[in-house]
């Protein structure tokens, strides 16, 4: 039995406290054996059944810290890094925990593997990329229910079957048609030409009278015919004498209908064989016969002579002659050139009863001297025997017919027809066109003042000193006689809205009408039904579209384009609004709003906002100085030019030196970003051919920046991929383009020829070789100058020649950009 005690009495102990233990001898006889022991040793003995001795010192080895402890001290452990062991931080744990296991390769929610050509097999690609179609349900084309999404690559191949007809985006759909997305637009697959059902039946339809209702037209049945009273009243058979097998029998049984009645039958029936010339056909009561025509007792017995005739009456033979009454036989008129026939008198029977002549005037009919004058007032004399020529002009030809007397014909060949419309009359003889006022509002009138160069059609106006106005339409420029250089086309366009400066252009029904009074609006352009209709003193505006900016009264410098766009703006200024119903309720200033229904919610104000996209809305009703792109459905931003050289994880970064915002690697943990580059096949063989200029660009570096490498790792699969080892003759280096000082002192990662040429799978990780003291001037020798790209290539003196090899080589490194401007 052991006796354990302490002296003096201890109420609390520590591991180093000593205890005295007295133990009886084994034989049970003799003095007690006394020993001292620390509390820690005593405790271990009690708990484990054995003693562990006395700890005199504790030495910490990597990754533990604390050195050698002989009394008291602290043992610690450092955080693991790429080159040293240690503990994993929570962020390190998250990083490792988030990596996907190889068991997830090719699985749902996993990752797609690469094939032997470093490509993704087609079975792992989205349907939208390989052209598959995906049924999304039925769709009402009339109400767009459900609403079709905006066409995009993500919904390429989506299709809906039309359940109700209608028109969507100008395309008319019928029941059974498809609406399918091609990634950029919705298109129609026409299925409505097929017969979908017949009399309510589908499939291979065979109809009988049992399938179709009779309606008002009844089907034939023997019972219905027998019961018909009209049929029952005509059941007796009808006899046709001369027909049938026996004359007089009824038309029944084997009835024979004789052949057609021919000309020969007619001749025989009429006994033409017995007829003589001039004889006539006569009926003697029993048959036809040909007889000689007799004079009979009737006919012409006497011919009398009427007024102006002589010779009658004639009862047998005689001659009828004209009466000799009238001016009598003789020669009248004169062959003299100075005698003309004045009057000829003819009676009711066409007889000339009187003739008078008169003198033609002096001269013998020969024009000895006369003149001709053109429109310009130029006169020339025509002398005796001189020929006057009529030459053809534009739209006119002249033809001289050689008859006696000769005839000169002038013919129009330009205007082939003139058609008179409403309020227009044409004199077909003279060709005069007359435009008369018809209808209300002054009808169609012309007012052209040559001195003021104003031309108005449709409204009668009087100008004094104004000029350059053109109007077409009833009510145009009606109250604008004090303004110049205006163009108005359309009913009541520019009717009241301007005076003074002018320079307005209005095209459309009531465009720039100005419905209240004449004011001083100028330099405005409006195209469309009621575009800018209520304008008063506003200036410098452009309105295009039905009712575009139709509420603007005093606002200036707007550009409003679209059906109903800017429909609420009145006195606001300097907005650019484009799109149907864009900013239709917006009351802000100096903003750019583009897109159908963009920024069109009630009570929206604000200044200097930019809102772009279908149904895009600013963040609040009163926000200022804000840019909004897209509506709540837009969840991706793509800027091809900015993203062309970007890498995964890059972030938008502002440079104070250039004032630019560019995509740069994220600072991440410690400010470094990971880059991985894999080489397979003959890529290295093709790149390195024994020239000092041979190199491969790994990373593009922004201007005024130097790229810094923190860690570097190399993986060469020398046995598990490819078929041939590499045979590089010199090392390769990851350096900056143009860098001459290729060493660890200037942050260069080396790849030895032996590391590259291995025939086993090898992994190499380096930290110290590239993390030594980094110093040197910003120049080509030290860093390759600012903005130099990170490349893989030889140093400045030993070219690399690789003639064989197709193994997989992967370079992994952490880097960051340092702006040294």
């Amino acid at each position: 039995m052991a006796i354990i005690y302490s002296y003096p009495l201890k109420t609390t102990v520590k591991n180093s406290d000593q205890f005295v233990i007295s133990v009886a001898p084994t034989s049970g006889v003799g003095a007690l054996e006394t020993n001292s022991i620390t509390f820690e040793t005593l405790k271990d003995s009690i708990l484990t059944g054995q003693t562990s001795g006395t700890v005199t010192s504790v030495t910490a080895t990597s990754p533990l810290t604390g050195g050698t402890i002989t009394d008291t001290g602290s043992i610690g452990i450092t955080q693991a890094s790429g080159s040293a062991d240690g503990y994993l931080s929570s962020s390190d744990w998250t990083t490792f925990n988030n990596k996907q296991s190889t068991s997830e390769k090719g699985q749902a929610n996993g990752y797609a593997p690469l094939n032997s050509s470093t490509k993704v097999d087609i079975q792992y690609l989205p349907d939208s990329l390989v052209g598959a179609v995906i049924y999304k349900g039925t769709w009402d084309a009339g109400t767009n229910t459900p609403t079709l999404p905006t066409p995009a690559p993500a919904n390429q191949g989506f299709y809906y079957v039309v359940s109700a007809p209608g028109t969507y985006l100008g395309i008319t759909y019928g029941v059974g048609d498809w609406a399918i997305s091609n990634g950029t637009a919705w298109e129609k697959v026409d299925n409505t030409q097929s017969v979908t059902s017949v009399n309510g039946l589908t499939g291979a339809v065979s109809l009988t009278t049992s399938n179709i209702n009779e309606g008002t037209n009844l089907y034939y049945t023997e019972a219905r015919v027998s019961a018909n009273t009209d049929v029952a009243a005509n059941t007796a058979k009808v006899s046709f004498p001369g027909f049938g097998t026996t004359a007089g029998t009824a038309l029944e049984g084997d009835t024979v209908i004789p052949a057609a009645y021919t000309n020969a039958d007619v001749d025989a029936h009429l006994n033409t064989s017995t007829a003589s010339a001039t004889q006539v056909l006569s009926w003697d009561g029993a048959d036809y016969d040909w007889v000689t025509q007799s004079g009979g007792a009737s006919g012409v017995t006497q011919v009398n002579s009427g007024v102006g005739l002589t010779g009658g009456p004639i009862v047998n033979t005689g001659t009828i002659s004209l009466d000799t009454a009238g001016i009598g036989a003789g020669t009248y008129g004169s062959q003299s050139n100075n005698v003309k026939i004045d009057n000829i008198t003819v009676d009711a029977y066409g007889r000339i009863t009187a003739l008078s002549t008169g003198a033609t005037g002096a001269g013998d009919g020969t024009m000895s001297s006369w003149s001709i004058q053109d429109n310009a007032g130029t006169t020339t004399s025509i002398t005796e025997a001189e020929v006057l020529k009529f030459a053809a002009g534009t739209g006119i030809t002249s033809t001289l017919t050689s008859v006696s007397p000769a005839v000169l014909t002038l013919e129009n060949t330009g205007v082939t027809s003139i058609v008179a419309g409403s309020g227009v009359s044409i004199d077909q003889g003279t060709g005069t066109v007359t435009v008369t006022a018809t209808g209300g509002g002054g009808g169609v009138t012309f007012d052209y003042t040559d001195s003021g160069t104003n031309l108005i059609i449709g409204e009668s106006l009087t100008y004094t000193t104004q000029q350059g106005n053109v109007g077409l339409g009833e009510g145009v420029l009606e109250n604008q006689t004090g303004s110049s250089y205006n163009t108005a086309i359309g009913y009541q366009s520019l009717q009241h809205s301007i005076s003074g400066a002018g320079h307005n252009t209005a095209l459309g029904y009531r465009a720039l009408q100005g419905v209240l009074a004449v004011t001083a609006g100028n330099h405005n352009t409006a195209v469309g039904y009621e575009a800018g209709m209520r304008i008063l003193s506003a200036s410098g505006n452009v309105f295009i579209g039905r009712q575009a900016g139709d509420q603007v009264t005093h606002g200036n410098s707007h550009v409003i384009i679209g059906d109903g766009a800017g429909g609420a703006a009145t006195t606001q200024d300097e907005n650019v609004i484009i799109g149907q119903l864009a900013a239709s309720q917006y009351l802000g200033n100096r903003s750019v709003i583009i897109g159908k229904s963009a920024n069109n919610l009630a009570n929206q104000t604000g200044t200097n906002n930019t809102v772009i996209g279908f149904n895009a809305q600013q963040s609040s009703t009163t926000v200022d100085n804000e840019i909004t792109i897209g509506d709540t459905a837009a969840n991706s931003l793509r800027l091809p030019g900015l993203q062309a050289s970007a890498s995964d994880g890059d972030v938008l970064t502002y440079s104070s030196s250039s004032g630019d915002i560019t995509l740069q690697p994220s600072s991440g943990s410690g400010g470094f970003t990971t880059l991985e580059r894999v080489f397979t096949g003959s890529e290295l063989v093709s790149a390195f051919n024994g020239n000092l200029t041979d190199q491969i660009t790994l990373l593009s570096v922004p201007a005024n920046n130097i790229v810094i490498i923190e860690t570097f790792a190399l993986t060469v699969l020398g046995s598990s991929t490819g078929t041939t080892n590499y045979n590089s003759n010199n090392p390769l280096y990851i350096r900056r383009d143009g860098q001459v000082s290729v060493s660890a002192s200037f942050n260069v990662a080396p790849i030895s020829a032996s590391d590259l040429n291995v025939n086993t799978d090898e992994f190499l990780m380096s930290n110290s070789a590239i993390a030594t003291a980094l110093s040197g001037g910003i120049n080509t020798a030290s860093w390759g100058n600012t903005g130099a790209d990170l490349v893989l290539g030889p140093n400045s003196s030993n070219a690399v020649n690789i003639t064989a090899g197709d193994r997989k080589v992967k370079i992994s490194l952490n880097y960051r950009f340092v702006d040294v401007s």
Side-chain angles (χ1 to χ4, degrees), residues 227-289:
N228 187 279
T229 55
D230 294 334
V231 174
N234 291 279
T235 55
K237 298 187 174 106
V238 181
S239 297
F240 294 89
F243 292 90
T245 56
T246 304
T249 61
L251 187 60
E252 62 179 349
D254 297 327
T255 302
V256 178
I257 299 176
Y261 209 61
T262 65
N263 288 337
D265 295 328
V266 174
D267 292 342
H269 189 69
L270 298 179
N271 302 317
T272 57
S273 61
T274 64
S276 300
T278 70
Q279 286 186 322
V280 295
L281 187 63
S282 175
W283 176 256
D284 61 7
D287 199 359
Y288 293 105
D289 195 11

Side-chain angles (χ1 to χ4, degrees), residues 709 712 732-735 743-744 747-751 766 769-770 792 813:
I709 305 172
F712 160 69
L732 288 170
Y733 299 88
I734 299 176
R735 57 175 175 79
S743 67
N747 198 225
V748 173
I751 302 175
S766 175
I770 57 175
L792 174 67
L813 55 88

Side-chain angles (χ1 to χ4, degrees), residues 719-744:
S719 63
S720 58
T721 62
T723 59
T724 308
N725 299 330
Y726 293 102
N727 62 350
S728 176
N729 63 329
N730 284 310
L732 288 170
Y733 299 88
I734 299 176
R735 57 175 175 79
R736 292 146 202 84
D737 187 17
Q739 184 175 2
V740 176
S741 301
V742 180
S743 67

Side-chain angles (χ1 to χ4, degrees), residues 53-400:
T54 300
V55 177
T56 58
S57 67
V58 176
T59 301
T61 60
S62 179
L64 299 177
T65 62
T68 301
I69 301 173
T70 58
D71 185 11
T72 61
S74 298
I75 299 295
I77 184 170
T78 59
Q79 184 176 349
S81 67
S83 59
D85 295 333
Y87 71 88
L88 289 179
S89 66
S90 60
S91 60
D92 292 335
W93 169 256
T94 300
T95 299
F96 284 109
N97 192 52
N98 287 340
K99 292 185 177 296
Q100 289 186 286
S101 170
T102 55
S103 63
E104 298 181 78
K105 180 169 66 176
Q107 302 301 314
N109 297 319
Y111 61 93
L114 300 179
N115 58 24
S116 59
S117 301
T118 69
K119 302 294 189 297
V120 178
D121 289 329
I122 192 170
Q123 65 264 31
Y124 300 111
L125 297 177
D127 291 339
S128 59
L129 297 181
V130 298
V133 294
I134 302 172
Y135 173 67
K136 301 300 289 183
T138 59
W139 174 62
D140 187 329
T143 62
N144 188 23
T145 303
T147 301
L148 295 183
T150 301
N155 57 41
Q156 180 177 345
F158 285 14
Y159 77 93
Y160 295 80
V161 177
V162 176
S163 60
T167 300
Y168 177 72
L169 296 181
I171 301 176
T172 298
Y173 294 85
V175 174
D177 288 345
W178 287 11
I180 186 167
S181 169
N182 65 9
T184 58
W186 285 97
E187 296 181 330
K188 169 184 170 182
V189 177
D190 193 346
N191 294 317
T192 57
Q193 71 273 18
S194 303
V195 177
T196 58
S197 67
V198 176
N199 198 37
L201 302 176
T202 59
V205 177
S206 177
L207 296 178
T208 68
T209 56
S210 299
N211 300 113
I212 302 176
N213 294 329
E214 289 181 311
T216 56
N217 296 316
L218 304 181
Y219 296 130
Y220 169 86
T221 65
E222 288 291 339
R224 285 175 175 170
V225 173
S226 299
N228 187 279
T229 55
D230 294 334
V231 174
N234 291 279
T235 55
K237 298 187 174 106
V238 181
S239 297
F240 294 89
F243 292 90
T245 56
T246 304
T249 61
L251 187 60
E252 62 179 349
D254 297 327
T255 302
V256 178
I257 299 176
Y261 209 61
T262 65
N263 288 337
D265 295 328
V266 174
D267 292 342
H269 189 69
L270 298 179
N271 302 317
T272 57
S273 61
T274 64
S276 300
T278 70
Q279 286 186 322
V280 295
L281 187 63
S282 175
W283 176 256
D284 61 7
D287 199 359
Y288 293 105
D289 195 11
W290 298 90
V291 299
T292 301
Q293 184 177 9
S294 61
S298 62
V300 177
T301 59
Q302 178 176 309
V303 176
N304 298 322
S305 56
V307 177
L309 296 176
T310 61
I314 299 174
V315 296
N316 189 8
T317 61
T319 302
I320 298 295
S321 301
L322 286 172
D323 192 353
T324 57
I327 63 174
T331 301
Y332 299 90
S334 173
Q335 294 182 342
S336 175
N337 289 334
N338 59 352
V339 176
K340 62 181 176 61
I341 296 176
D342 288 333
N343 296 297
I344 299 175
T345 303
V346 180
D347 64 11
Y349 303 101
R351 295 173 298 180
I352 298 175
T353 58
L355 186 148
S356 63
T357 61
T360 61
D364 57 3
T366 300
M367 292 184 285
S368 59
S369 179
W370 57 291
S371 299
I372 187 170
Q373 187 180 76
D374 62 14
N375 289 336
T378 303
T379 303
T380 184
S381 298
I382 306 298
T383 60
E384 185 176 352
E386 187 175 2
V387 176
L388 177 63
K389 178 181 179 181
F390 289 85
T394 302
I396 298 177
T397 59
S398 60
T399 305
L400 183 64

